[in-house]
Amino acid sequence: MRQASIERKTAETQIKLDLNLDAQEPVDIKTGVGFFDHMLTLFARHSRISLVVEANGDTWVDSHHTVEDVGIVLGQAIKRALDDKAGINRYGTSFVPMDETLGMASLDLSGRSYLVFEASFDNPKLGKFDTELVEEFFQALAFNVQMNLHLTILHGKNNHHKAESLFKATGRALREAITLNPEIHGVNSTKGML
């Protein structure tokens, strides 16, 4: 089973995360940031992974440290669970419509970190969640998985729909990329490693 458990404690956050890339249950997200819990649950369901997150952060300041640090730990867990990445597709792309919104995620589990983020939000908050933290989360995720991640809102108006389409699309693209392909022998790279 491709799985990882990570605990991270800083002066700002305490995070415990359990991940299994080859199971779909359980999914249980408790970060203290309601909208973020909703987004991570969608991400887990659409990537068809088991994800348990318990985070306690300095949310009396704001949600920034909690959201960013969960992105860091989730990225580290995915990287650890993938090990040498032998047999995986490596690439994944998904377009997800949410009513008037169309979001796209395309990723490469290349071992190189890069984020392209082409999305804007008209409303600075969704509940108590700062919409600028969508990019912060994906930045932390991409850099700790060590993947190229391209995210785009092709069109849309509703800020909730925009965020949701990106989390769902990233989950679905990740599922495609981490899927073991019997036609791939070793690592899907001419370099022999990712």
Side-chain angles (χ1 to χ4, degrees):
M1 295 288 256
R2 299 177 296 168
Q3 52 194 358
S5 295
I6 296 180
E7 289 191 45
R8 183 176 195 264
K9 294 184 180 182
T10 72
E12 298 166 340
T13 61
Q14 296 81 47
I15 298 166
K16 184 176 185 296
L17 185 146
D18 296 304
L19 168 82
N20 188 330
L21 300 180
D22 297 312
Q24 296 185 42
E25 296 292 341
V27 173
D28 187 19
I29 315 293
K30 294 183 178 82
T31 68
V33 183
F35 183 79
F36 187 46
D37 289 356
H38 177 44
M39 293 298 106
L40 285 179
T41 300
L42 294 170
F43 170 83
R45 292 295 185 200
H46 283 265
S47 58
R48 298 197 302 278
I49 63 173
S50 171
L51 181 61
V52 177
V53 180
E54 186 175 339
N56 292 296
D58 56 356
T59 52
W60 59 89
V61 176
D62 66 12
S63 301
H64 186 109
H65 298 142
T66 299
V67 171
E68 182 178 34
D69 287 5
V70 168
I72 290 169
V73 174
L74 178 57
Q76 291 171 345
I78 292 169
K79 182 175 186 258
R80 185 179 296 176
L82 285 171
D83 193 27
D84 66 358
K85 304 176 192 168
I88 65 167
N89 283 325
R90 173 181 170 179
Y91 298 97
T93 298
S94 180
F95 290 82
V96 170
M98 284 288 302
D99 297 340
E100 86 298 340
T101 296
L102 180 62
M104 183 277 297
S106 189
L107 61 87
D108 175 11
L109 296 169
S110 61
R112 297 184 307 277
S113 304
Y114 205 88
L115 174 68
V116 175
F117 189 86
E118 296 180 345
S120 60
F121 298 93
D122 302 325
N123 190 338
K125 284 195 177 287
L126 289 164
K128 295 181 179 179
F129 180 87
D130 297 319
T131 51
E132 67 181 12
L133 295 180
V134 173
E135 183 173 3
E136 291 296 324
F137 168 77
F138 285 117
Q139 174 88 2
L141 181 70
F143 274 68
N144 285 276
V145 174
Q146 294 184 327
M147 67 176 169
N148 292 177
L149 176 59
H150 294 251
L151 298 173
T152 303
I153 294 295
L154 286 88
H155 48 260
K157 296 178 182 176
N158 183 287
N159 293 285
H160 187 127
H161 292 167
K162 289 179 185 179
E164 188 165 333
S165 69
L166 293 180
F167 276 84
K168 286 180 174 177
T170 303
R172 296 177 72 82
L174 182 68
R175 168 44 53 191
E176 181 182 351
I178 66 175
T179 295
L180 292 166
N181 185 334
E183 296 180 0
I184 296 170
H185 301 284
V187 175
N188 193 9
S189 171
T190 56
K191 296 175 183 171
M193 64 176 292
L194 290 171

